[in-house]
Amino acid sequence: MLEPRPRNFDPNRDGYGPSSSFLLDIAPLVLTAIILMVQFFVFKDFTPHIPLACGILITGLFMKLRGRDWEGMEERFLRVIKIGLPAMIILMGVGMLIGSWIIAGTVPTILYYGFSIFSPSSFLFSVCIICAIISVATGTSWGTVGTVGLAMMGIGVGLGIPAHFTGGAIVSGAFFGDKMSPLSDTTNLTPAAAGVELWDHIRGMLPTTVPAMIVALAIYAWIGMGYGDDSIDLSSIQALQTNLADNYNLSIITLLPALVVIVAAVMKMPAIPTVLSGVVVASLIAFFMQGVGVSDIFNVLQNGFVSETGFEVVDQLLSKGGVMSMTWVITLTIFALAFIGSLEHYGTLKAIMVKINKVVKSRLSLILTTYASVLGVGTLIGDVYTTLVLPGRLLKDKYKEMGYKRTTLTRSIEDSGTLLSPLIPWNMGGSFVAATLGIATLTYAPFAFACWLSPLFGLLWAFTNKFIPREEPSKEGIDSASSVNMDSTVNKAS
């Protein structure tokens, strides 16, 4: 049962509760999911922006049919969008950071020395490590898969290593970085939606992500031993390293921007100053060490860098960055948050919470419900951003009510959302990886060990009550917390 509403509760402003018809309450969500599936599977277009915009309009129509005003819903979804503004600003800064790290030689240096640890006798191990390093440094799993990952697939074929093993190692490393990098869109959006600080969220993910990665690397090392041969020609790797060395001044100094970001993170500096400090230091190095003019630096920060080395793999990898490169993600984030805010006001989330409250009575059932919610949205809708945001908005107050820190919520969301998205064939992540690497999702999924081991460790900690931090339980009910305390959530997230 929901707690009684406070006396000053105004449904026109604070949203409506569940009605007597659960199907009517969830109808906007179901209809939007159908439109998304048509977009993905019929039109073969994995851009969910317009279906989500349709979902906002559908929710508004249901509001009208039930005699409710659009204005209250609009006010609600604008407040929810505000929650994501810090993440969107960080993403724009990340776009600048990626571009500046490329022209400063930071990313090329990471690539150069990353490939130096590569050896045929430990190919899968090295591939996972390299993809993890690059993904953490750039904050993009898709960019890592589409560049270095694609190159590794070709090298793996030449070494006689089955494509499903190579694909699994690539996905494990790339999505590990996407999950743990402070530059990642998913890593910024997930805590913002649930009202958690970025660095608290990243620290909270360590108990599941690190053990999963260690076990995955051990398995890749064991498998790879059967395929290693020190006599195999590594000319492709050497050619790539030579190209990087010919086009950039590579030294320990070019790693300084990465060091600045790491130190700032350890000092618990806010995310936006951390990112911008990395941009400033990288821009100075680009000017003094790489000979890049001020006008060109500004252009790269705005529009990204276009590599013209003549080496296709290098040019694909290093042609990225800039504020404009983040517009696809930022606009999708706006649509996703607006849609979820609309559902909140309409009463969909409260109706679902009534059902959840009937089964969530313990720590284990709470975390299992989180996993089920994320997997349900991820498999039904297939949009990774809605998958991350919707369960966070749905369950954040339940964690507080039961006395569990929300870092467990955000960790569980990323474990079963970010990491499992490339393992679901019709999810945006799985579709992208399969199309890019040229292998079916279900072929490489069993060998993406780090991706599915992480949620298993999460379940292990849930069963054993390890790494599940507590806090003072909230005495407020879910209904009043969702309706009245929205502004305080916004302030904390902002």
Side-chain angles (χ1 to χ4, degrees), residues 311-331:
F311 197 105
E312 184 178 359
V313 173
V314 172
D315 290 340
Q316 286 181 350
L317 179 62
L318 300 183
S319 295
K320 55 173 48 98
V323 172
M324 299 307 294
S325 69
M326 294 295 171
T327 54
W328 192 94
V329 173
I330 291 173
T331 52

Side-chain angles (χ1 to χ4, degrees), residues 94 98 101 107 133-141 143-144 181 183-184 317 320 326:
V94 168
I98 293 173
W101 279 22
V107 173
I133 291 173
I134 295 169
S135 188
V136 169
T138 61
T140 168
S141 56
T144 303
S181 174
L183 312 182
S184 168
L317 179 62
K320 55 173 48 98
M326 294 295 171

